[in-house]
Amino acid sequence: MSEIPAKATESEDPSDGARRSAAGDAAAHTTRATTGGPGPSSSGGLSSRDRATRDTGLGDEPTADAMWQSSPPGSIYDYIKVASFSIGPDGLVDQWSLRAEQLFGIPARRALGMDPIKAFVDPDLREHGQRKMAEILDGREWTGVVPFRTPGTAGEGDEKEGLAEVYVMPTRTEEGEKAAVCIVVDVRTLRSIETDLAASQSIFGQSPFGFLLIDPDLRIRRANQQFAQTFGGAYGSSPEDHRGRGVHDYLRSPEAERVAATLRRVLETGDSITDMHVTGFLPGSEERRHWSVNLYRVHSGSGRPIGIAWLGIDITSRRAAAREAAAARRNLALLNEAGARIGNSLDLETTARELLDVVVPGFCDLATVDLYQGLLAGDETPPGLVDGSAELRRVAFASAVSDAPFIGSGPPVAVGAVHHYPFNSPCADAMRTARPQLVPAEEGGLVQSTLAVPMVAHDTVVGLAQFARAKGSEPFGDRDRDLAVELAARAAVCIDNARLYRREHERALILQRSLLPPGDPVAAGLDIACRYLPGNSSSDRPSEVGGDWFDVIELPGHRTALVVGDVMGRGLRAAVAMGELRSAVRTLALLDLEPAEVLSALDEIARGLGAPGGVQQATRAARRPREADLSEVYLATCVYAVYDSVTRRCTFANAGHLPPVLVEPGEDALMLDVPPGMPLGVGGEPFEEVEVELPEGALLALYTDGLVESRDHPLDEGLQAFVGALTDPAHPSPDQPSATAPRAGTHRNLEDVCDHVLATLDTHHGEDDIALLMARVQGLPADSVGDWTLPREPRSVGRAREYARGQLLSWDLEPLVDTTELLVSELVTNALRYGEGEIRLRLLLDRTLVCEVWDSGLVQPRRRRARDTDEGGRGLQLVGLLSAAWGSRRTPRGKTVWFELPLPDGETGLTDPAEALLSLF
């Protein structure tokens, strides 16, 4: 807004017609901006110039700061600096506007009467300025750029320099004298505005962002080229083609309504919006695009809101990259979760369920796992593996949207059901080619996309995993397919490991059980009950087999060997070592060695198991410092007992094992004091024997440490609990009331006693195998034993036959009389010819008939094959032919030769002695 002095008059210059009109219009809107400075007027009065102002008819004198606006707010004068002043005929300033005060910084009281040339022009230019002033006062117009400086108010150093464009118009005063009106524009402000306009134009036009200026009616007032190119199409590629368009021309509902509401809010509140995401489609295209938009309100120079600036950039690719990065992070997190959760169990079904727990609902909405039925059954290579049509069992199913069975290709299959896929189906093709296949969705079904992924482990397909997404979810992509293959492969390796472990575990169990006594062992004069629990058989976590074993071995003379042992360690190695020791025990027992001798021989064998050269090498190595690998050292504990059913005496020998427990009728259970000795495999120490007489009905218990020891219960507590369980009367037999219940080991059924012990003790820890062998003493009755001593004379042979015939007839065993007489005659004859001392004949009747001939000689009989021309040497051959078994053993006072005959039961035929004799020739 410009101001000019009201004193200006029209020029006499004939070329100033237009200027006169403009000057007259300007004069009609000017005020006098004087403030009582120096001059001819006196205080309180008006000068001639003041009266001239009043004579113009503008009314009362305006105040010093009064200005009339010639244009509405927001005009160009709000941005540029424009001022005016007038020069009198004397060349001095006689009018000074408020704009001039603002531009030059000099109040009117100082400016009036000043020589503008001397006051504002540099001394070097004053001479030129004086000439120009003379020309102006002579009535000539002048326009030019003039450097100026303003006089300071506080002396030197307080001056301000500037550059002004001056437009001087000659005028005349009321007296007709020549004067001039000067219009001054600050050039530096103009150049600054020009620079700002150029910068804004370059930013607006060259910006890589879509730039819009939106007016208060939410119409585009201006658009840059980037926006025009992005939204060209039907609207054209020129920025002018987009002028006047609104939000609804570019966006669809309801996105357009949301953006329009945001624009109105920015226009009303002035709050800027940063990174507002807008989704839409380009004109003429169905491709979904995404933009990031910044909005802020634009104001005029006077601060009036004039619109909204829109700065937008296409972030479609960035959003896609962000989605890819998010998907990659999600997939990595899923793989990490799969690595942590899958394979924690060695159970096939549990591993399959762990896979589905990971993928549902994080990866898919429904999923199933099918495994080959042959692999589950233990087959190495199930039939149909090549064409993918072999039988499968559905082992797991999970759903995040429905509990209904998974619906894929074909009819629904329930969990646990056995099925197969048609040869031409995608699922069969996936298993046949070991590559994932996309299964077409059924019309009207819940599923829109299904992946059939073969489960491949070590180049072998073990099953099929199906992942499905319900309608409304994003279909499977290439990245999803790769992730599904990786997840299925990880689960397949875990499942294959579980399968291999199950196979090895079952094989080891079969091996271990094959080395244990089959069925229920029987023994003469003993009632036997036993239990064997593999480690972790009662827990959810399978484990390796152990080396615990027990055995019941029948010995000659109705004697029985009871054995319980434990090889230290676990796994197949321990089971094999146990088998070797058990076989050695049975072999040594058949040699009828004493218990201490049996353990000594076992100790040598155990040391030989860990030496490459066997027992001999181990014996030599025992004399040197042992440097063998500890993994090759076999150690075992064992208790070996021999029970004689005739005398009811039991001889014990212990190799580092837990002591046997004995329960006598009517007494508390007690642990027998048997010297423990060193474990087998240590060597160097002899074993001691202890002989105990067992009363009729007594209960003997042999066991391994797994029964009485665990991490939660020390050994001492376990032993006391075991003794208490055998003593506890709270578990009576079914036919006896609890008030009169006997001790646990007396008359109660032995199987019930075993069950009671296992139920009472902590046998579910699963840390070690448990072996329990219990025997109730049932000695041979006195009338089942015939015992005679014969002198060393020939007549004893006939007398022995008579004793045998009489005893058998008393036992109603007449069918065995002839055979027994013949064999007794042979054995007594051999004792007379080759033995020493008195002869003892004993007949024992239990499940079989046993005949024993004792003498003091140490020479063992040896069976040999007689030649056809020999007259003798056929006695032992005859014994072997007619008896079920025969042998000899050493005794503390000599030897015993015995034979055994089966009792006649109507089914087993007896060998005719005559035929047996003829067969020898």
Side-chain angles (χ1 to χ4, degrees), residues 823 826-827 830 872-880 920:
L823 299 184
E826 289 293 335
L827 294 185
N830 286 342
R874 295 180 176 84
L876 293 180
Q877 294 187 32
L878 184 62
V879 174
L920 296 178

Side-chain angles (χ1 to χ4, degrees), residues 195-275:
T195 302
D196 293 343
L197 288 175
S200 62
Q201 180 62 30
S202 63
I203 292 175
F204 194 86
Q206 301 175 17
S207 172
F209 307 106
F211 214 146
L212 297 178
L213 291 179
I214 301 175
D215 62 20
D217 296 330
L218 305 186
R219 295 287 178 180
I220 295 178
R221 186 58 54 193
R222 186 176 180 185
N224 70 344
Q225 187 63 37
Q226 181 65 32
F227 181 86
Q229 291 177 355
T230 302
F231 288 91
Y235 299 141
S237 59
S238 173
E240 296 298 327
D241 298 332
H242 298 271
R243 189 185 300 273
R245 299 191 180 276
V247 175
H248 290 79
D249 294 327
Y250 301 96
L251 300 176
R252 301 177 183 178
S253 298
E255 187 75 353
E257 284 77 3
R258 183 180 71 88
V259 174
T262 304
L263 291 174
R264 282 190 291 268
R265 186 170 67 252
V266 172
L267 190 62
E268 293 171 359
T269 64
D271 297 334
S272 61
I273 301 295
T274 303
D275 196 23

Side-chain angles (χ1 to χ4, degrees), residues 33-38 93 95-98 100-114 120 150-153:
T34 60
T35 58
V93 176
Q95 296 289 331
W96 192 254
S97 66
L98 294 178
E101 288 186 6
Q102 298 173 1
L103 176 62
F104 294 102
I106 300 176
R109 63 177 178 271
R110 288 186 58 197
L112 294 178
M114 294 177 58
F120 302 111
T150 59
T153 59

Side-chain angles (χ1 to χ4, degrees), residues 65-77:
D65 58 348
M67 292 186 300
W68 289 4
Q69 292 182 338
S70 61
S71 59
S75 66
I76 188 64
Y77 298 106

